[in-house]
Amino acid sequence: MSQPTAHRRMAPPAVNGERLLRRVEELGNIGRDAATGGITREGFSRADREARAYLLEESRSAGLAPSVDAAGNITIRPRPTGTEPERPAVLMGSHLDTVVNGGRLDGAYGVLAALEVVQACAESGIDGEFEPVAVAFANEEGALFPQPFFGSSALAGRLADLPLEPCDHEGHSLRGPLALAGGDLDALGSAVWPAESLAAYLELHVEQGPVLEQAGNRIGIVDGITGRTVITAEIRGTAGHAGTTPMPGRRDALAAASRAVLAVERIASASKLCRVATVGRLDIHPNSPNTIADTVRFTADLRDTSAPRMEEAEATLRQDLQDIARQTGTDIQIVARTYSGPVSTSSKLRGLIEQSCLELEIPFQSLPSGAGHDAQVVADITPTAMIFVPSIGGVSHVPQEDTSSADLVLGAEVLLRTALKAAHF
Ligand code: HGY
Ligand code: MN
Ligand code: MN
Ligand code: MN
């Protein structure tokens, strides 16, 4: 008896490795600095829009159905919605935006591998109970507009986490750049996916650390994703002439900020209140060699896989900043805060990834993720898992970020096999 159309298998879908590597190469040229080799495609920047246009064009010429939601997320389906009864989606993806002078794989690889899986499923004509959907989440890094996980927060319905009027570090509104990317700040609610529309979310990503390479394993099955708190603090002092203003009585915002940076470092290294703590951005005003700084803004990024440890670290840092304000006669305020809790991935999905690795007879291991990912937000609404491939030298967020072509293709093969299993679990 022939299979009902909905389950007819033409041929099992297969990853086209050459096509995937071509796209990784092409996308890696968008926003690339010829001098450093670094990629700069901050979310909603012009280079980010170029990368979005590339993905939309590749999807359309592959005969797939891409669309952009109000948050600027790009989703790619095998066929336009409305042509079939709604089936739960196995959503796969990551992000196109990058940090400043970063690597060509962080995020982009997961998006292009997801595109490859959707295209392989469409080409094979399989039509199971699920719909393979690829997604490029908007502004995961938060490099220009400091609202990381912006797109995945909207999709997961975490709208309360997003400011009503998101702005960049200089106070310019996100409204215009989001509209240029096809989004609409006043319609973010329309970007929310109901939990029942999803069967699972899978994110394939470069490890960005040294663990897999050092262990000689080719696939990482992520068991937990670190929590991350990013606070933006503003220190206000008094500007003055560097030569004529006596030292006693100065309200030097940069001297105060220097103490604050060391306080952040102490939170992780000396007191071990959290696993890592970093001041990555510091803006000084007026930033002039012979003027005492009157304003400094900086970010403090605290991470740990334990929520209580993160809370304690943040409380300690806030107290330290008040002590520094008193000692230096400055005023220190927390002007922004983003928080993503640590999450564990779905044990069922981890089992399916393991099965795929066993089938392919490749060495794999479990490991936590020290990097944050959209997956930790989407985990709010659907079973979620992450697959890592090794990072050469364990580096990321730098131009040297790299992974072997064989591992890039293998990762996509594991993603495909896991997605096909996830639909029936
Ligand atoms: O910062 C992170 O962990 C990620 O790259 N957004
Ligand atoms: Mn990153
Ligand atoms: Mn990433
Ligand atoms: Mn990610």
Side-chain angles (χ1 to χ4, degrees), residues 242-315:
T244 57
T245 310
M247 291 310 283
R250 283 189 178 194
R251 297 179 66 240
D252 182 334
L254 187 47
S258 317
R259 296 183 192 204
V261 171
L262 293 176
V264 170
E265 191 188 36
R266 248 192 333 272
I267 288 271
S269 44
S271 47
K272 289 265 172 282
L273 283 173
C274 65
R275 196 175 53 76
V276 286
T278 315
V279 173
R281 182 180 176 117
L282 188 136
D283 297 300
I284 306 164
H285 179 270
N287 206 21
S288 157
N290 51 357
T291 306
I292 302 164
D294 60 5
T295 311
V296 172
R297 260 191 185 220
F298 66 90
T299 56
D301 177 314
L302 311 177
R303 306 202 188 191
D304 201 290
T305 46
S306 145
R309 278 161 53 97
M310 283 173 62
E311 277 150 34
E312 194 185 347
E314 181 179 351

Side-chain angles (χ1 to χ4, degrees), residues 106 140-141 208 397:
D106 174 3
E140 189 266 359
E141 299 285 5
Q208 301 181 290
H397 282 192

Side-chain angles (χ1 to χ4, degrees), residues 94-95 106-107 140-141 203 205 208 372-373:
S94 193
H95 56 95
D106 174 3
E140 189 266 359
E141 299 285 5
E203 181 162 353
H205 206 287
Q208 301 181 290
H373 295 284

Side-chain angles (χ1 to χ4, degrees), residues 11-34:
V15 163
N16 179 329
E18 256 172 62
R19 179 168 63 192
L20 171 63
L21 295 175
R22 168 181 62 81
R23 288 172 170 156
V24 167
E25 209 54 43
E26 288 169 350
L27 183 55
N29 289 325
I30 300 177
R32 187 171 181 281
D33 177 329

